[in-house]
């Protein structure tokens, strides 16, 4: 029942969104909540049922994906949608409205609907006193529809539809407070930056269609694993790099990460929805779904790993000194996404997906907990104005503390298992370069522990630094907000046990569940001709019992403990006017981190030329100014010149038509005929007698001429 009606999972929130857009203004808040939250609850129930049915269906069908096609959306019925492939053959272009369920999409389906459901429930309390209630929930439902379409799509084209849908909805949700300029600017920034990535995704799709002859996932994966394509194929390398550009835009990797921290301008539930388990993981999902292609492109894999590692440590370093509680979590998200791409780049696809899974719970918990803190603090987001909240909002404190233990990798919390697996797989990758990536990942783990416990100590410990008026109104959030926190805290504690590693006596059930998707993809992803590559997934199981893994595991936990210790020593007793340790050690370094390496200013300088110092425009020599000059003088000049020519031509044409065509050609003969008619009109008196006299005279004259001639 559930599996055959899998299309209802994205359809249910779509119906909720449609009802809000058409009738939401006339509905009560309770009705809006019932419709929108209820649609996502039903989608979650359907998702659980579908995944359960699939796990029973798959063993009897050789663990193949379950695919259902509703209808051919774009097809070749008319004969116009055919194209020539790279080998000169005619290929039919076809994109189905079809859905695919396999272990990979099952995992995303469960945590997207589950976490999305909790965020919807949380939003009922958080947005209770906000305007535009129906509009907000309509956007949330539309976002869920788009994300679920992206996940369940059976081809790249339908995935791109969902991909663009979540991009549109992120624009609407980030700019929900559109009356604030900062919110509208952040929404525009997210929309524009994502369009850069989308262009890469589109070009990658074109390459795949041209080279593979299909955009259907099953066909592309089958062709990639058929043995007809060699490792290092330049076309596949180009296609995968373009796909990764799209992933960088959606999942906020260098250099397209700049939109994600600014997304904090939206309501806190939006931050949780975008940053935890949905939109930002779309890029990870797309790369994981395309694993068969990436395995054939070792250079692309290397690029993915390097970009992921650099993004992880870059964002973590910025998070060390940020003061806005949501902004700290935003840079944390960028950093953790870097971890995920690092895993995908070294061929540890299962480990990367596992970290996506665990991250969904503790990062959603952190954002919703931050929203509860902001709610208790009457809208205050600056941690410098908080402190000593652990007794006043205990549920929020304990749940956020659990999430912090999870993200920093303290055993036995969820983040420990997934992060340890990523670092272990990076260390065991062939080549000294990948050991460098391990050191980067290890340093990132230390930074993560420091800035996360800095958040805990500045918010819940230390001295109270808020105003007396705010302090007087501090209170715990309602149950509609705290209940999702408790559920997510439980998941943050126990979700990691699904990936209990072999080295600790476990069976690593999570990776085994994903074997049908990645079995071939995790073998020898760094193979070069004549050189050894990464160990196959099956061979790595033996290394799980090596002393090296235990040592690396110990070092990972030690990094988390060291970060915890340093944060506690620096911030546990922080009072008003406390000095940041990094600022005390090096003011230039602190200012650079606080200003996010001046990347935003640099982008404005290069691409917009908006930045000024006094009356001097900083971008006067930048590409923004150059492009502005080119647009004003060349593009607009050409347009204006064309307009002038058109106006001149029209004027001449009007003159020619009036004086030559109408004047000489039409009116001239008419005037001449009129002039010649004047003598004849002298004889036209209008009397019959006169006409008879003229005729008689004519006859007499003719008779005289005939007789005498």
């Amino acid at each position: 029942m559930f599996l055959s009606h899998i299309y209802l999972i994205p359809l249910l929130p779509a119906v909720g969104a449609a009802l809000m857009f058409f009738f939401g203004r006339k509905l009560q808040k309770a009705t809006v909540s019932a419709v929108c939250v209820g649609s996502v609850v039903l989608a979650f129930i359907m998702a659980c049922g579908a995944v359960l049915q699939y796990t029973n269906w798959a063993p009897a069908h050789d663990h193949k994906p379950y695919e259902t096609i509703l209808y051919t959306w774009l097809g070749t019925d008319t004969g116009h949608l055919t194209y020539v492939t790279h080998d000169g053959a005619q290929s039919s272009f076809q994109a189905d409205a079809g859905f695919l369920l396999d272990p990979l999409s099952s995992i995303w389906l469960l945590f997207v609907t589950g976490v999305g459901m909790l965020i919807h429930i949380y939003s009922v309390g958080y947005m209770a006193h906000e305007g535009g209630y129906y509009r907000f929930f309509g956007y949330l439902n539309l976002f869920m529809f788009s994300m679920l379409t992206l996940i369940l799509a059976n081809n790249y084209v339908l995935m791109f539809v969902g991909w663009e849908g979540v991009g549109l909805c992120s624009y609407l949700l980030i700019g929900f407070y559109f009356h604030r300029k900062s919110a509208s600017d952040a929404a525009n920034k997210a929309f524009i930056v994502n369009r850069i990535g989308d262009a890469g995704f589109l070009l990658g799709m074109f390459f795949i269609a041209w080279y593979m002859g299909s955009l259907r996932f099953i066909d592309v994966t089958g062709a990639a694993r058929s043995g007809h394509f060699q490792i290092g194929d330049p076309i596949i390398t180009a296609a995968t790099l373009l796909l990764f550009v799209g992933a960088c835009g959606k999942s906020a990797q260098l250099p397209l990460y700049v939109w994600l921290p600014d997304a904090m301008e939206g309501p806190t539930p939006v931050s949780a929805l975008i940053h935890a388990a949905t939109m930002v993981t779309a890029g990870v999902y797309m790369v994981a779904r395309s694993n068969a292609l990436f395995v054939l492109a070792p250079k692309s894999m290397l690029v993915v790993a390097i970009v992921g590692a650099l993004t992880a440590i870059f964002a973590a370093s910025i998070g060390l000194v940020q003061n806005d509680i949501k902004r700290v979590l935003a840079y944390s998200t960028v950093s953790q996404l870097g971890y995920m791409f690092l895993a995908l780049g070294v061929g540890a696809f299962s480990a990367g997906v596992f970290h996506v899974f665990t991250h969904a719970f503790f990062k959603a918990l952190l954002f919703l907990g931050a929203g509860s803190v902001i709610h208790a603090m009457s809208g205050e987001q600056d941690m410098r104005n908080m402190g000593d909240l652990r007794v006043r909002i205990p549920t929020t404190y304990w749940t956020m503390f659990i999430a912090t233990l999870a993200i920093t990798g303290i055993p036995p919390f969820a983040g420990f298992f997934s992060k340890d697996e990523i670092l272990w797989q990076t260390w065991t990758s062939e080549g000294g370069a990948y050991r460098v990536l391990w050191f980067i990942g290890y340093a990132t783990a230390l930074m993560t522990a420091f800035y996360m416990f800095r958040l805990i100590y500045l918010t819940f410990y230390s001295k109270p630094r808020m105003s007396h008026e705010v302090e007087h109104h501090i209170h715990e959030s309602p149950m509609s907000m705290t209940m999702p926190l408790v559920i997510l805290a439980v998941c943050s504690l126990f979700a990691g046990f699904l990936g209990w590693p072999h080295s600790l006596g476990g069976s690593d059930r999570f990776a085994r569940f994903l074997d049908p998707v990645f079995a071939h993809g995790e073998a020898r992803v760094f193979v070069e001709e004549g050189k050894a590559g990464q160990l196959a997934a099956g061979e790595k199981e033996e290394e799980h019992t090596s002393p090296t893994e235990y040592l690396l595991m110990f070092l990972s936990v030690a990094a988390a403990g060291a970060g915890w210790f340093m944060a506690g020593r620096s911030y546990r007793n922080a009072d008003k006017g406390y000095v940041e340790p990094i600022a005390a050690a090096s003011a230039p370094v602190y200012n650079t981190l606080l200003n996010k390496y001046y990347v935003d200013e640099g982008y404005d300088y290069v691409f917009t030329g908006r930045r000024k110092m006094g009356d001097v425009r900083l971008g006067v020599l930048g590409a923004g100014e150059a492009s502005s000059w080119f647009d004003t003088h060349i593009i607009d000049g050409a347009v204006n010149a064309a307009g002038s020519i058109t106006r001149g031509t029209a004027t001449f044409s009007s003159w020619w038509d009036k004086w030559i065509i109408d004047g000489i050609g039409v009116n001239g003969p008419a005037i001449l005929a009129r002039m010649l008619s004047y003598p004849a009109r002298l004889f036209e008196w209008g009397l019959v007698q006169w006409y008879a006299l003229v005729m008689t005279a004519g006859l007499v004259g003719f008779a005289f001429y005939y007789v005498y001639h």
Side-chain angles (χ1 to χ4, degrees), residues 169-211:
C169 293
S170 68
Y171 168 81
L172 297 173
L173 288 167
I174 295 170
F176 180 77
Y177 300 123
F178 57 85
H179 53 276
R180 298 197 321 229
K181 187 177 185 303
S182 58
S184 61
D185 287 346
N188 289 333
K189 190 175 186 179
F191 192 82
I192 293 171
V193 173
N194 272 275
R195 298 292 75 73
I196 300 172
D198 297 348
F201 189 0
L202 272 175
L203 291 174
M205 286 171 51
F206 296 155
F207 270 90
I208 294 171
W210 174 69
Y211 205 55

Side-chain angles (χ1 to χ4, degrees), residues 601-613 615-630:
E601 290 81 359
Y603 280 6
D604 271 355
Y605 175 82
V606 174
F607 297 110
T608 68
R610 296 181 302 179
R611 296 284 174 171
K612 290 184 177 181
M613 182 177 294
D615 295 330
V616 179
R617 189 178 295 274
L618 295 178
V620 68
L621 299 177
E625 289 293 310
S627 62
S628 177
W629 182 90
F630 185 83

Side-chain angles (χ1 to χ4, degrees), residues 78-102:
T78 62
H80 297 301
L81 294 177
T82 58
Y83 63 97
V84 180
T85 59
H86 72 287
D87 55 0
Q90 288 283 335
S91 181
S92 301
F93 181 85
Q94 181 171 317
D96 300 315
F99 300 96
L100 182 145
L101 192 66
D102 66 352

